[in-house]
Amino acid sequence: MKVTCARDELAEKLQIVGRGVSTRTSVQILAGIMLRAEEGQLFLSATDMEISLRVSLEAQVEDAGAIVVPGRLLVDIVRLLPAGEVTLEHRAEEGLALLTAGSASYRLYTYGAEDFPRLPEIDEDSAFTVERDAFLDTISRVSRSASRDESRPVLTGVLVRFEGGKVVMAATDSYRLSVKETGLTESPGQDLEAIVPARALGELTRIAQGADSATLVIGVQENQVVFGTDGVWLTARRIDGQFPNYKQLLPETFEAEIRLPREELLDVVRRTSLMALRKSPLRLRFEEGELTISAQTPDVGEARESLPISYSGDVMEIGFNAEFLRDGLESITDEQVRFKLISPLRPGLIHGEADDFLYLIMPIRLAG
């Protein structure tokens, strides 16, 4: 294989595909990026067996072929090469790739392309398009509620469901639950559902935010979900299992509903959270005309702030994880927040003026 291409474009595309390189595996080939040259194109791909990334760029191909090169090293080298053209030549008899740009020359040991995992086929005929911004906004509103505990794989994913001209996403780590419905002008025309790794949706957001296209291509396959934008293809392994029935988790009735200005409340929560260390809860005390938010950590200190509210029920004091409460408030975009509460030991529901985003948060039992 021998190929020449522009350094800037190669560096840009390697930066994208390099995010698919595995950093936690003992399988060497998964730490590599596969380069395949044919018919005026250089194809780059990487996978960690959970997600895979593929992209291509125009190149002068002298000899077609494929090699696998250590991924992170290749990304770093190309990024720092002098401007101009880069030539990559595979010397099979030596097991080396020769990388040259101007007076710079690098020799990298390669892995056999035949050992690289075969990536899922991309069936563009069965794919459909959705509005990019609407889809990415939905991801950003729910994904932070996904679990990071690998012992419960289903909860590390986001439930993505297309139904009746809208997309519904839900995520939960069993301590909080986020649900967002978004109307779509373009949709698959049939009901589809998949549990997609939250990490994959995070990578999609990074890639697609800077894209020129206003749409995303999505294909839901038997074991994979494929996303495409501006020539970049991300494939994510679908998570097997039964996602919790989130509708059953949402209480039907509440004892109190309080409306609060989101920005003002969020500022107070951010400040008082500084004193909620070592898993100390954030205390919210609702009483007639006033909400008091406080936090106390032994041997550190305490914080207390009050907000005027329209509330006339019994005094209610409830504790929440400070980070989880802050995440919920940051995920709401309306000027007003609605707090719905039942009791200090039952979950609270937070949402904006509309009901298209819901955030359910479990309380922390308060001492004393």
Side-chain angles (χ1 to χ4, degrees):
M1 184 184 96
K2 186 174 183 182
V3 62
T4 301
C5 57
R7 188 221 54 179
D8 289 350
E9 190 178 5
L10 178 60
E12 178 191 339
K13 298 296 174 70
L14 282 172
Q15 199 71 38
I16 293 170
V17 86
R19 298 192 66 87
V21 171
S22 177
T23 57
R24 299 182 296 176
T25 183
S26 57
V27 182
Q28 275 192 325
I29 197 78
L30 297 182
I33 291 175
M34 183 172 182
L35 298 92
R36 179 169 55 86
E38 60 181 50
E39 298 177 355
Q41 295 279 311
L42 178 62
F43 298 88
L44 312 175
S45 53
T47 182
D48 62 5
M49 303 308 288
E50 181 179 273
I51 70 167
S52 65
L53 284 163
R54 279 172 272 194
V55 69
S56 64
L57 63 151
E58 291 185 0
Q60 302 166 29
V61 179
E62 266 187 62
D63 290 311
I67 55 171
V68 180
V69 181
R72 297 310 310 168
L73 185 58
L74 180 63
V75 170
D76 290 339
I77 289 172
V78 173
R79 179 171 54 87
L80 297 172
L81 285 174
E85 291 193 328
V86 176
T87 298
L88 187 70
E89 181 181 357
H90 182 212
R91 297 187 173 175
E93 66 283 355
E94 301 174 58
L96 290 171
L98 179 63
L99 192 67
T100 55
S103 62
S105 175
Y106 290 82
R107 295 157 65 89
L108 299 173
Y109 285 98
T110 62
Y111 311 126
E114 65 279 2
D115 296 327
F116 194 78
R118 184 177 177 182
L119 301 183
E121 296 292 329
I122 297 172
D123 183 6
E124 294 188 53
D125 292 336
S126 65
F128 57 95
T129 60
V130 299
E131 299 97 302
R132 182 196 65 181
D133 290 347
F135 195 80
L136 297 186
D137 177 64
T138 309
I139 293 172
S140 70
R141 304 277 287 278
V142 305
S143 59
R144 62 178 81 188
S145 290
S147 176
R148 295 176 180 82
D149 184 359
E150 297 291 342
S151 67
R152 299 183 68 187
V154 166
L155 299 189
T156 65
V158 175
L159 178 69
V160 181
R161 177 187 294 143
F162 294 93
E163 58 182 26
K166 64 183 179 182
V167 60
V168 181
M169 294 191 197
T172 180
D173 57 8
S174 75
Y175 300 105
R176 64 282 191 49
L177 163 72
S178 294
V179 183
K180 175 74 172 77
E181 293 186 2
T182 303
L184 299 172
T185 56
E186 297 181 82
S187 62
Q190 59 178 309
D191 290 357
L192 293 172
E193 180 178 299
I195 305 173
V196 184
R199 174 180 161 245
L201 294 176
E203 295 297 345
L204 174 65
T205 300
R206 288 188 186 93
I207 293 164
Q209 271 177 340
D212 295 328
S213 174
T215 59
L216 287 173
V217 179
I218 301 177
V220 180
Q221 302 172 4
E222 184 178 357
N223 298 313
Q224 309 281 337
V225 182
V226 178
F227 302 95
T229 180
D230 279 8
V232 181
W233 292 96
L234 183 152
T235 308
R237 174 185 54 82
R238 289 177 64 168
I239 298 176
D240 292 328
Q242 186 69 39
F243 196 84
N245 186 340
Y246 61 86
K247 292 180 180 178
Q248 291 183 346
L249 300 175
L250 298 170
E252 294 183 359
T253 59
F254 297 88
E255 294 298 317
E257 179 176 333
I258 307 99
R259 292 174 183 264
L260 292 153
R262 174 187 168 273
E263 282 294 336
E264 191 177 352
L265 175 61
L266 182 54
D267 285 345
V268 172
V269 167
R270 284 171 174 160
R271 287 194 294 266
T272 50
S273 293
L274 297 174
M275 285 296 180
L277 306 176
R278 303 174 198 159
K279 298 185 179 180
S280 295
L282 207 61
R283 291 174 175 258
L284 280 68
R285 181 181 175 86
F286 295 89
E287 52 192 324
E288 188 165 350
E290 187 177 61
L291 165 62
T292 302
I293 301 177
S294 62
Q296 181 179 17
T297 302
D299 305 324
V300 176
E302 63 180 291
R304 183 181 301 272
E305 288 197 45
S306 296
L307 287 169
I309 60 171
S310 177
Y311 178 74
S312 57
D314 295 337
V315 174
M316 186 185 301
E317 188 167 24
I318 188 167
F320 292 119
N321 176 293
E323 179 190 348
F324 293 172
L325 180 60
R326 188 174 66 244
D327 282 350
L329 294 173
E330 287 176 349
S331 298
I332 293 170
T333 56
D334 296 340
E335 291 184 3
Q336 293 283 315
V337 169
R338 287 193 280 172
F339 252 98
K340 293 181 177 179
L341 301 171
I342 303 171
S343 75
L345 300 180
R346 297 286 302 280
L349 185 68
I350 308 171
H351 60 91
E353 295 290 7
D355 292 333
D356 61 343
F357 174 76
L358 303 174
Y359 189 82
L360 191 73
I361 179 170
M362 295 293 292
I364 296 174
R365 185 185 292 270
L366 296 173

